[in-house]
Amino acid sequence: MSETTQHKSTSDAAFRSAVARWINDNGEVLAVIRFAGGAGSRSFEFFTSNDAFIKRTNELPPSASVTVLAELQLPIRGRVDDDFIPHACASIRDGDEWLIVTIDRIRIGAASWFHDYAGESISELSDELRDEYCYGKTVAVGPYPAWLEDSQTVLTAFTPNPDGTVTVGAY
């Protein structure tokens, strides 16, 4: 882990301005949040307001990576039932990588999270939609987002340390 000034902070005005513009233009953004030292732990979260996005980034621990996608992602939306499953499966080509994300947090006791699952086969998609964390829940499904490299429509920033510096961790 090394400190560097080349990595943007989630409190950077240009980063926040771009995210606010994307939410205003498209109605929502998808953020991929990765936790430093979290052994690959990540969360896919939708934001429909800039205030909610800023609140969430302010809650994150230092060094969390926040990648925001400007273009609408996971366009197949709805409550999972026996009618939704064949519609979702018909919208994905077998062999293409896909992602499911619950729109509402799953809550069990004190724990809460947005359930996500990725795969490549239609049978796996059907099985996952029938899973207890998806069936009866509102989900977003679609091609797996291309979020690994920044571009005109993908930006990554990191939550700053208390002193404002940015430390990039192992994700």
Side-chain angles (χ1 to χ4, degrees), residues 17-156:
S17 176
V19 173
R21 187 176 63 256
W22 294 345
I23 291 170
N24 186 57
D25 291 350
N26 299 318
E28 73 177 22
V29 294
L30 175 64
V32 183
I33 302 169
R34 298 180 302 152
F35 300 93
S41 178
R42 67 177 169 233
S43 180
F44 294 89
E45 301 180 21
F46 289 98
F47 294 93
T48 57
S49 84
N50 194 50
D51 288 344
F53 176 76
I54 290 171
K55 180 178 187 279
R56 179 66 170 127
T57 59
N58 288 341
E59 296 169 347
L60 294 171
S63 300
S65 167
V66 180
T67 301
V68 182
L69 295 97
E71 296 175 345
L72 295 176
Q73 302 292 318
L74 311 177
I76 306 156
R77 309 277 177 103
R79 182 167 294 287
V80 179
D81 60 17
D82 291 339
D83 293 327
F84 180 85
I85 294 170
H87 167 68
C89 290
S91 301
I92 303 287
R93 282 193 337 209
D94 201 28
D96 286 353
E97 190 172 18
W98 47 262
L99 177 66
I100 301 169
V101 175
T102 57
I103 300 293
D104 301 315
R105 283 187 173 274
I106 304 293
R107 298 184 191 282
I108 298 178
S112 74
W113 69 96
F114 293 97
H115 178 70
D116 67 82
Y117 192 87
E120 295 180 0
S121 77
I122 298 304
S123 64
E124 190 177 15
L125 175 59
S126 177
D127 289 347
E128 183 60 24
L129 288 169
R130 293 180 192 288
D131 181 83
E132 67 179 306
Y133 295 122
C134 289
Y135 199 86
K137 311 289 189 303
T138 303
V139 300
V141 180
Y144 198 91
W147 59 270
L148 293 175
E149 293 183 24
D150 280 9
S151 67
Q152 293 294 327
T153 59
V154 178
L155 289 178
T156 300

